[in-house]
Amino acid sequence: MDRERGPQLRDLDVETLMGHGQVVLNLLRTFAAAVLFFGLPASPAQTVDLSGRYQCAEAKMHGKVIPCTAAPLILKNDGRFELRGWEGSYLVNGEWVELSDSLIRAKAKIEPGHKIVLRYYGKHGLVEMTFERRVAELGKTALS
């Protein structure tokens, strides 16, 4: 019998309150999203364009400088890199370049003079390779 009686005033009040509640909830969600999107400071990552070809200028093994015949480190504009057949993506984060692929991650230090220093443990122990970009390359002159 109650099923067939049409909507009563008290039923409409509940629906109206629920409707206003949904509107308020949606407004709060939108406001929170806007605060998160516009209110957070920008990430310091990728603030410097390091793309280019870096030649190995120096290598150190067991604390001794040895001739460097390594392939160049190539940092592409699209965030990808190549180094001796190793390919992956890179991210500039402050004074570090983070190189990674699906299995390996490495951090290289950005140093003055257009240099990137990669330190890693190889089969001969700690190895330090200094890669240097030639300033005259493609007219690029700015690098932190």
Side-chain angles (χ1 to χ4, degrees), residues 41-142:
S43 171
Q46 291 298 121
T47 56
V48 177
D49 179 20
L50 295 179
S51 62
R53 184 181 186 97
Y54 293 79
Q55 293 298 125
C56 186
E58 179 179 282
K60 288 183 186 176
M61 193 179 322
H62 302 295
K64 290 192 221 174
V65 176
I66 59 172
C68 187
T69 58
L73 169 63
I74 301 169
L75 301 179
K76 299 178 181 180
N77 286 334
D78 64 358
R80 312 271 310 148
F81 76 90
E82 292 179 19
L83 175 63
R84 295 184 312 213
W86 182 32
E87 295 181 356
S89 60
Y90 75 93
L91 179 68
V92 179
N93 192 357
E95 59 186 23
W96 298 94
V97 178
E98 298 171 358
L99 308 167
S100 64
D101 65 11
S102 60
L103 299 174
I104 302 171
R105 294 180 154 250
K107 282 175 72 172
K109 180 108 162 105
I110 301 169
E111 294 192 351
H114 308 277
K115 296 179 184 177
I116 296 176
V117 180
L118 176 63
R119 293 177 184 92
Y120 65 94
Y121 283 94
K123 61 182 177 181
H124 301 291
L126 181 64
V127 178
E128 182 179 290
M129 297 179 71
T130 303
F131 293 92
E132 188 173 293
R133 187 171 81 192
R134 306 296 177 220
V135 180
E137 178 184 325
L138 300 175
K140 293 183 180 180
T141 57

Side-chain angles (χ1 to χ4, degrees), residues 25-41:
L25 185 59
N26 285 339
L27 285 173
L28 286 173
R29 285 182 184 153
T30 304
F31 178 74
V35 167
L36 287 174
F37 184 75
F38 294 110
L40 294 178

